Amino acid sequence: MEPLYQTAALCPCCGNGFETPRVRPSFKRAVAVDTDFCSHFKGIHADYYVVRVCPQCGFSTTENSLSSLTDAQKENYYSLYGRMWQPRSYSGARTSRQALDCYKLALLSAVAAQDKDRLIAGLLHHIAWLYRDEGDSGQEMRFLRHALESYRRVYETEKVDNDAKLMYLIGELHRRLGERKEAVWWFSRVVNDKRIVDAAMIKASRSQWQLVREGNEDAPEWMMGGIPQASGGYEAQAIG
């Protein structure tokens, strides 16, 4: 059995029907998960196939993206990016570079359509993960910074004070960016807020808080099972 199969998709921008590749569940083999929910896979990389790219107009989505666009949103996409699109397909097996292209297309599409802040934050975070896989720490840090700013915006605009996963993730991205004081502040909020009952996130925040306080920043990543998968529409575990 082949690890990839084709599924039908409908572009919310131009209405074009097309096929997009997906990974069969039995081939999604994550062998480790980093402390910011980045999964590392054995064999085929499931994250490469989250984004659906319309070959006709280039508008790109995930399962969490807007399912329909207004005329104004379509016009904005075409004026910013769609008019420059050269028809091409991502319906086959994807390389790491092609996966990056797909995520960046999804990011441009989401920004043009003014999609949800959570979705945009998740896309930025996924791009950082793909650069991590490539060993490009400079670009990884750049996109982690953008993701952090977007997650902060989600926290401030949605005003969900006890969103433990989001608060933990903000703290963890501060830690990865070398901002120890800010990291400790967010971890301590998760640990000390009596309204938070997410035991896994409390445990994770306490562990990372201790890491920062001890200055043990080079501790190995947690292996699969050390931190649970975050809920959400992505096959990977960013909050999106």
Side-chain angles (χ1 to χ4, degrees):
M1 183 181 295
E2 293 295 321
L4 295 179
Y5 68 98
Q6 298 293 324
T7 186
L10 184 67
C11 177
C13 188
C14 71
N16 176 52
F18 61 98
E19 290 192 333
T20 187
R22 299 295 299 272
V23 179
R24 298 183 192 279
S26 59
F27 285 87
K28 296 176 183 177
R29 300 167 184 164
V31 295
V33 180
D34 293 347
T35 50
D36 65 341
F37 306 131
C38 173
S39 294
H40 298 274
F41 294 91
K42 179 180 180 181
I44 195 163
H45 199 307
D47 284 3
Y48 287 6
Y49 303 93
V50 171
V51 176
R52 305 171 292 202
V53 180
C54 175
Q56 182 166 292
C57 74
F59 195 84
S60 304
T61 61
T62 73
E63 290 182 352
N64 282 355
S65 301
L66 294 170
S67 58
S68 62
L69 303 182
T70 66
D71 289 342
Q73 288 169 323
K74 294 176 184 179
E75 183 179 347
N76 196 46
Y77 169 72
Y78 280 116
S79 66
L80 291 173
Y81 311 114
R83 59 184 173 83
M84 298 179 287
W85 175 255
Q86 298 294 320
R88 56 186 179 274
S89 175
Y90 289 93
S91 62
R94 295 174 182 174
T95 65
S96 61
R97 185 52 51 174
Q98 288 172 326
L100 265 170
D101 290 344
C102 290
Y103 274 103
K104 289 180 179 180
L105 287 168
L107 178 62
L108 294 175
S109 299
V111 171
Q114 297 180 316
D115 211 325
K116 301 177 292 293
D117 285 333
R118 274 188 182 250
L119 177 79
I120 292 171
L123 291 169
L124 288 163
H125 201 176
H126 274 76
I127 292 170
W129 291 347
L130 291 177
Y131 278 120
R132 184 181 303 170
D133 284 345
E134 290 195 345
D136 189 335
S137 59
Q139 287 288 70
E140 178 194 347
M141 293 299 109
R142 176 189 171 205
F143 278 93
L144 284 182
R145 170 64 63 193
H146 290 317
L148 172 59
E149 292 169 355
S150 292
Y151 283 133
R152 288 287 299 265
R153 191 155 49 247
V154 170
Y155 182 83
E156 291 163 3
T157 56
E158 292 188 1
K159 299 186 185 302
V160 182
D161 291 337
N162 59 346
D163 188 335
K165 285 188 176 73
L166 179 58
M167 294 165 68
Y168 164 81
L169 195 50
I170 291 172
E172 177 59 13
L173 294 194
H174 274 301
R175 186 189 74 82
R176 286 177 174 268
L177 290 165
E179 297 162 355
R180 299 161 59 93
K181 182 178 178 180
E182 292 85 352
V184 166
W185 190 83
W186 284 95
F187 292 143
S188 65
R189 287 193 65 185
V190 177
V191 172
N192 294 323
D193 191 334
K194 301 303 180 185
R195 295 170 298 173
I196 293 177
V197 295
D198 188 331
M201 288 298 97
I202 293 171
K203 179 180 178 182
S205 296
R206 184 176 288 116
S207 175
Q208 297 306 87
W209 183 4
Q210 191 65 28
L211 259 184
V212 176
R213 292 183 64 184
E214 293 175 353
N216 192 14
E217 299 294 339
D218 296 324
E221 298 288 4
W222 293 344
M223 295 301 292
M224 182 78 163
I227 189 167
Q229 295 184 0
S231 60
Y234 285 135
E235 294 180 16
Q237 293 105 53
I239 297 176

